[in-house]
């Protein structure tokens, strides 16, 4: 295994959930972490947790769905050795009979555009160095279609799986690798947006943020000649196999 010590890691959606958890762990392993998202207070909390332990971190607030703002943020950040695109959301009204065009646009703008824009911004510098790692947090819904996650979320999560494979197809010869991580249910705040939020007891049996952070660390520490194309993981108690009473 290689080391992330001294690597510069840009994490989108870095103020909470998988992004924040991964930032803390990668910084602990010696990486310099730059966290981005819209909520400045959350980003600063993550930075404070890292720097008080002697780690190196900074925050660059940006709306990942704004292409111009993302390009400006990337220019401000400079070299990015590893990009972790973990920003994502869903909406409460997600079935086709309830999903409006505004909600569709909201999900697509964050889950698809907000993944592509930072990738587009960092690829030129990675090509120039002939080295770089992209990690995209998709979802179980990026592999399996189900009613619970809804049309917009499922479509965008499938799309970023294809985007990751396209990066490997087109950019592998340039020394660039991409991994798409497709987790089942994770106990994060996004679950509160469900029409029927899960109970705390159910959330305790799901994947935890630390589980995903360890997955990110594993991929980040793989040597440059190894491309982990995709990872599909779920809780052992997988409710997508059990079925849901209400969607």
């Amino acid at each position: 295994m290689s080391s992330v010590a001294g690597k510069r890691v840009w994490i989108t959606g870095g103020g909470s959930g998988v992004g924040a958890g991964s930032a803390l762990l990668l910084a602990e392993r010696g990486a310099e972490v730059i966290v981005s998202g819209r909520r400045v207070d959350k980003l600063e909390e993550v930075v404070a947790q890292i720097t008080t332990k002697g780690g190196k971190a900074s925050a660059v607030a940006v709306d990942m769905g704004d292409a111009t703002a993302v390009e400006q943020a990337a220019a401000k950040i400079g070299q990015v050795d590893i990009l972790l695109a973990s920003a994502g959301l869903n909406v409460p009204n997600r079935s086709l009979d309830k999903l409006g065009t505004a909600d569709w646009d909201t999900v697509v703008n964050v889950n698809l555009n907000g993944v592509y824009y930072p990738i587009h911004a960092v690829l030129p510098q990675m090509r120039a160095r002939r080295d770089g790692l992209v990690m995209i947090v998709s979802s179980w819904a990026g592999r399996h279609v189900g009613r619970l996650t809804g049309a917009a979320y499922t479509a965008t999560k499938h799309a970023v799986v294809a985007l990751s494979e396209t990066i490997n197809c087109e950019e592998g010869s340039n020394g660039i690798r991409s991994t798409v991580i497709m987790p089942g249910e994770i106990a994060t705040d996004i679950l509160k947006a469900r029409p029927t939020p899960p109970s705390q007891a159910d959330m305790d049996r799901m994947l935890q943020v630390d589980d995903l952070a360890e997955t990110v660390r594993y991929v980040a520490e793989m040597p440059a000649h190894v491309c982990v194309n995709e990872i599909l993981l779920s809780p052992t108690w997988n409710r997508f196999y059990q079925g849901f009473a209400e969607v």
Side-chain angles (χ1 to χ4, degrees), residues 140-161:
W140 186 267
R143 177 68 72 217
H144 302 287
V145 176
R147 295 185 63 191
L148 180 72
T149 48
Y153 188 87
T154 301
T156 55
K157 293 302 185 178
H158 270 68
V160 296
V161 171

Side-chain angles (χ1 to χ4, degrees), residues 149-242:
T149 48
Y153 188 87
T154 301
T156 55
K157 293 302 185 178
H158 270 68
V160 296
V161 171
L163 175 59
S164 181
E165 187 169 356
T166 301
I167 293 170
N168 288 328
C169 178
E170 296 188 10
E171 301 291 349
S173 59
N174 295 320
I176 300 169
R177 303 166 286 150
S178 182
T179 299
V180 63
I181 302 172
M182 297 171 281
E185 291 184 293
I186 313 169
T188 65
D189 287 345
I190 194 173
L191 299 186
K192 296 176 182 178
R194 284 184 175 170
T196 305
S199 67
Q200 186 59 53
D202 283 350
M203 291 181 69
D204 290 344
R205 301 172 75 178
M206 296 176 182
L207 296 172
Q208 303 299 309
V209 167
D210 286 349
D211 302 324
L212 271 296
E214 285 289 354
T215 304
V216 167
R217 177 204 58 77
Y218 169 77
V219 175
E221 292 185 341
M222 274 291 175
H225 71 278
V226 176
C227 178
V228 181
N229 289 269
E230 56 184 44
I231 298 177
L232 179 69
L233 69 162
S234 71
T236 303
W237 177 72
N238 190 345
R239 298 201 307 164
F240 287 104
Y241 287 156
Q242 305 301 322

Side-chain angles (χ1 to χ4, degrees), residues 3-170:
S3 172
V4 295
K7 296 288 183 69
R8 303 190 81 238
V9 184
W10 185 16
I11 300 178
T12 72
S16 62
V18 174
S22 299
L24 295 172
L25 182 55
L26 293 178
E28 184 180 303
R29 304 285 288 191
E32 177 187 353
V33 174
I34 303 98
V35 289
S36 287
R38 289 179 294 181
R39 297 180 295 176
V40 178
D41 56 334
K42 294 295 185 182
L43 298 174
E44 291 178 345
E45 287 176 11
V46 173
V47 170
Q49 289 182 67
I50 292 171
T51 55
T52 54
K53 294 181 180 179
K56 194 170 184 180
S58 58
V60 177
V62 60
D63 178 357
M64 303 313 301
D66 182 332
T68 300
V70 172
E71 289 287 344
Q72 292 171 345
K76 179 179 180 180
I77 291 166
Q79 180 172 326
V80 174
D81 300 301
I82 300 171
L83 171 66
L84 172 60
S86 65
L89 55 72
N90 206 346
V91 291
N93 296 322
R94 52 188 67 172
S95 60
L96 287 172
D97 63 333
K98 298 176 182 176
L99 179 67
T101 55
D103 278 345
W104 171 273
D105 289 345
T106 295
V107 176
V108 169
N109 201 42
V110 173
N111 292 6
L112 182 52
N113 295 341
V115 170
Y116 176 71
Y117 293 157
I119 290 172
H120 179 265
V122 302
L123 279 180
Q125 55 167 280
M126 290 182 173
R127 289 191 197 104
R129 292 193 308 274
R130 299 192 64 79
D131 182 59
L133 171 62
V134 174
M135 287 183 277
I136 301 172
V137 179
S138 178
S139 167
W140 186 267
R143 177 68 72 217
H144 302 287
V145 176
R147 295 185 63 191
L148 180 72
T149 48
Y153 188 87
T154 301
T156 55
K157 293 302 185 178
H158 270 68
V160 296
V161 171
L163 175 59
S164 181
E165 187 169 356
T166 301
I167 293 170
N168 288 328
C169 178
E170 296 188 10

